[in-house]
Amino acid sequence: MFRRLSFRNKLLFLIMPILATGLLSLGFSAYSYITRIIEEDLTISMLATTGKSAETINVWLKTLLLEPETIASTPAAKAINDDFSRIDRYNINRHRVLHKRHPEIFQDIYAANRHGEYHTIRPEGDGYSTFIGDIANRDYFIALMAGGAPRITPPLISRTTGLPTIFLVAPIHDDEGRPQGMIGAGVSLDYVQKIAASLKNSQTGYGIIVARDGTFVSHPNTDLVMKKKITETE
């Protein structure tokens, strides 16, 4: 049958498979190249978006940190080891103002003296009561009393409310610059987790938030939150 074909048809018969193979190869290469470019562009875009979101959260928390830093410099705070009741009264007003303006953000409003005894303000009826506890063994308190700077803690379980909380803490210094205690404010972990919802990408994507020490602050798998670090997962 092949012998009966004209030279032109024989040539086409031989060339077409080669041409088809070449076109398929070219198409596959082009598809792979375009797919890779799209994936790279999406990855770069998501990295930029994620980086911006992380920066926004960090700046937001650092801005909130200014509040306890400011309170720590007041005369009432500096007198904490002589008269705790002065800063207690001050903190009642802090609680009233902060919870009125940002009830979904702030939880604990408290102060601690140089020994680690802390007083947290709690609403009670038409007024307020004081919860007294001890944070002398908290890492952040030890660091502040050793001369450390104001800081944002990893997520911790509040000893007052029993809720997962991020604490904003600032040291109280005397006139010679020696640590005398600290001022603190607790930020609701639920509110921080709401921020992660805005990080979702596409229908199946999701956002997570990880603390500086690697602890999961927000993750769709709630079994990981406050219980695992990102270095402990596959």
Side-chain angles (χ1 to χ4, degrees):
M1 180 178 178
F2 184 75
R3 292 179 180 179
R4 297 177 183 177
L5 296 175
S6 65
F7 176 78
R8 180 172 175 269
N9 289 337
K10 289 180 181 179
L11 189 61
L12 287 174
F13 188 82
L14 294 172
I15 291 176
M16 285 303 294
I18 299 174
L19 183 62
T21 302
L23 289 173
L24 287 173
S25 177
L26 180 62
F28 179 76
S29 298
Y31 174 79
S32 299
Y33 175 76
I34 293 172
T35 300
R36 186 173 72 252
I37 293 298
I38 292 174
E39 288 179 348
E40 289 177 355
D41 286 347
L42 287 175
T43 299
I44 292 172
S45 176
M46 280 306 300
L47 283 172
T49 301
T50 303
K52 186 175 181 180
S53 298
E55 182 181 358
T56 299
I57 294 171
N58 286 333
V59 170
W60 174 68
L61 287 172
K62 288 178 180 177
T63 301
L64 294 183
L65 184 57
L66 292 173
E67 194 276 335
E69 284 187 81
T70 302
I71 305 303
S73 65
T74 62
K78 291 179 180 293
I80 190 169
N81 292 295
D82 298 322
D83 185 2
F84 216 134
S85 63
R86 287 185 64 185
I87 193 63
D88 283 344
R89 291 192 295 272
Y90 205 108
N91 279 343
I92 288 174
N93 187 59
R94 282 180 69 207
H95 190 287
R96 184 182 295 115
V97 171
L98 291 175
H99 281 75
K100 181 179 180 179
R101 294 181 179 178
H102 308 287
E104 74 284 8
I105 297 178
F106 289 99
Q107 290 182 168
D108 305 59
I109 300 298
Y110 69 113
N113 63 20
R114 67 163 72 98
H115 304 295
E117 177 187 331
Y118 74 91
H119 293 186
T120 299
I121 303 303
R122 298 196 300 188
E124 189 172 280
D126 295 330
Y128 295 88
S129 64
T130 302
F131 179 91
I132 299 176
D134 190 322
I135 55 170
N137 64 348
R138 287 282 205 192
D139 290 342
Y140 70 81
F141 178 79
I142 294 171
L144 290 180
M145 292 304 97
R151 65 195 57 212
I152 302 163
T153 73
L156 299 167
I157 300 299
S158 169
R159 293 179 178 175
T160 303
T161 64
L163 299 173
T165 305
I166 294 174
F167 294 100
L168 314 171
V169 294
I172 300 168
H173 292 121
D174 62 17
D175 294 337
E176 283 73 42
R178 295 171 298 195
Q180 298 299 305
M182 54 145 284
I183 297 294
V187 174
S188 168
L189 194 63
D190 286 341
Y191 186 81
V192 177
Q193 289 170 341
K194 289 178 182 178
I195 298 176
S198 65
L199 304 179
K200 180 179 179 180
N201 182 51
S202 75
Q203 294 182 345
T204 58
Y206 59 88
I208 66 172
I209 298 179
V210 180
R212 183 173 298 177
D213 68 347
T215 302
F216 283 106
V217 176
S218 177
H219 195 284
N221 182 357
T222 55
D223 291 337
L224 298 177
V225 177
M226 294 289 294
K227 299 175 184 177
K228 291 282 188 179
K229 295 184 178 182
I230 195 169
T231 52
E232 298 171 346
T233 58
E234 294 183 356

